[in-house]
């Protein structure tokens, strides 16, 4: 997600919540353009996907199934991966406060780039020079929307939403997920709806880390059971 220091903000959640198994390979990818870093040459979508695939293939092999997890803007690179040849290896998709679902609706763009209220998101993230440069000049909004219909049948989806999200229209996304759930033969998405919390609150909440981890492990068990049939 968009944050000063990039991955540093997420390390407690990752190291003490979601990525606790010493035998599991974990890859942490950072986009400098949204990390409040000086970056006049952002990577393209294809360069990002190629780099991720190269590293994963080098360290765990080209056939190993993978789970992908993204928070906020991190749901957009996942969208690029789902649209790439790597999609067949992705068996689990975990999205926290995702902006990629219904990105063509005006909510995310208006709430993040054009909001008039001076809150912590506006002061720290959306007004930062290189974040604005990237989002307004180098980010293809039309290529970064996750269409639920594009997900493959073998992919399990876990989406966690915050009721009082200042960027994402959580209620609208939940309705879209429920619509998709009732009208598709694909795997039904698992939906978590946190009441009375805002965008990014899950990053600093150990109880939510445990909830996410438990649901991820439950989905992983289902994936293994299906593979053994």
């Amino acid at each position: 997600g968009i944050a000063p220091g990039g991955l540093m903000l997420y390390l407690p959640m990752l190291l003490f919540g979601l990525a606790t198994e010493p035998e599991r390979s974990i890859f942490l990818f950072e986009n400098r353009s949204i990390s409040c870093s000086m970056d006049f040459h952002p990577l393209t979508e294809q360069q990002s996907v190629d780099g991720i695939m190269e590293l994963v293939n080098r360290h765990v092999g080209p056939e190993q199934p993978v789970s992908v997890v993204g928070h906020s803007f991190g749901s957009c690179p996942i969208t690029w991966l789902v649209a790439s040849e790597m999609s067949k290896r992705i068996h689990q998709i975990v999205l926290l406060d995702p902006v990629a679902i219904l990105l063509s609706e005006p909510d995310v763009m208006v709430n993040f780039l054009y909001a008039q209220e001076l809150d912590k998101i506006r002061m720290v993230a959306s007004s930062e020079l290189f974040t604005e440069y990237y989002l307004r000049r180098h980010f293809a909004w039309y290529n970064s929307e996750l269409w639920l219909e594009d997900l493959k049948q073998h992919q399990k989806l876990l989406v966690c939403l915050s009721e009082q999200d200042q960027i994402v229209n959580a209620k609208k996304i939940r309705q879209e997920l429920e619509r998709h759930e009732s009208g598709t033969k694909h795997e039904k998405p698992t939906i978590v709806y946190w009441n009375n919390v805002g965008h990014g609150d899950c990053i600093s909440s150990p109880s939510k880390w445990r909830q996410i981890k438990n649901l991820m492990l439950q989905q992983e068990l289902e994936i293994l059971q299906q593979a053994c049939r």
Side-chain angles (χ1 to χ4, degrees):
I2 298 174
L7 284 170
M8 290 295 296
L9 182 68
Y10 292 92
L11 286 180
M13 178 175 71
L14 293 169
L15 299 180
F16 302 106
L18 306 186
T20 55
E21 299 94 335
E23 71 279 3
R24 187 187 298 268
S25 299
I26 305 295
F27 298 87
L28 308 178
F29 297 100
E30 182 175 274
N31 185 338
R32 284 178 51 83
S33 298
I34 59 169
S35 301
C36 299
S37 302
M38 185 177 295
D39 185 13
F40 286 105
H41 303 286
L43 296 177
T44 65
E45 298 165 19
Q46 192 59 52
Q47 288 172 328
S48 298
V49 169
D50 290 345
I52 291 172
M53 290 181 61
E54 178 182 351
L55 286 171
V56 174
N57 291 345
R58 180 188 304 170
H59 292 284
V60 300
E63 305 298 331
Q64 184 73 22
V66 297
S67 298
V68 290
V69 183
H71 173 255
S72 190
F73 183 89
S75 60
C76 294
I78 289 177
T79 300
W80 309 338
L81 290 171
V82 168
S84 74
E85 63 181 88
M86 191 174 180
S87 184
K88 62 181 180 290
R89 299 177 55 186
I90 298 174
H91 285 243
Q92 182 183 51
I93 300 170
V94 181
L95 304 177
L96 314 175
D97 299 331
V99 302
I101 302 176
L102 297 182
L103 187 59
S104 57
E105 295 288 311
D107 303 283
V108 171
M109 183 179 293
V110 171
N111 292 339
F112 190 76
L113 291 179
Y114 300 105
Q116 299 300 315
E117 296 81 5
L118 192 63
D119 56 17
K120 62 180 180 180
I121 293 175
R122 183 69 180 165
M123 290 188 292
V124 176
S126 63
S127 61
E128 195 273 329
L129 176 62
F130 289 96
T131 299
E132 290 228 355
Y133 173 72
Y134 175 64
L135 293 179
R136 295 176 186 271
R137 293 289 182 265
H138 293 276
F139 177 63
W141 294 76
Y142 50 84
N143 284 339
S144 301
E145 177 163 4
L146 180 64
W147 300 96
L148 300 175
E149 290 75 12
D150 289 343
L151 297 179
K152 307 301 187 292
Q153 289 192 354
H154 68 275
Q155 293 171 338
K156 291 190 176 292
L157 177 64
L158 168 60
V159 181
C160 300
L161 300 165
S162 302
E163 180 192 30
Q164 298 180 2
D165 198 309
Q166 304 93 321
I167 299 174
V168 173
N169 190 323
K171 181 179 179 181
K172 188 185 294 185
I173 290 179
R174 182 172 67 171
Q175 291 173 344
E176 175 65 11
L177 290 166
E178 291 171 347
R179 180 200 65 79
H180 177 75
E181 181 179 28
S182 62
T184 182
K185 296 180 181 179
H186 286 55
E187 286 284 348
K188 308 303 183 185
T190 300
I191 307 168
V192 176
Y193 198 76
W194 292 312
N195 294 315
N196 303 316
V197 297
H199 190 90
D201 282 13
C202 62
I203 299 172
S204 58
S205 173
S207 63
K208 292 182 176 60
W209 306 347
R210 290 190 292 271
Q211 182 183 16
I212 297 167
K213 182 65 173 180
N214 288 336
L215 290 170
M216 289 177 65
L217 291 175
Q218 180 179 326
Q219 285 189 338
E220 185 174 319
L221 179 60
E222 293 172 0
I223 292 170
L224 292 173
Q225 291 172 340
Q226 290 174 356
C228 294
R229 289 175 184 172

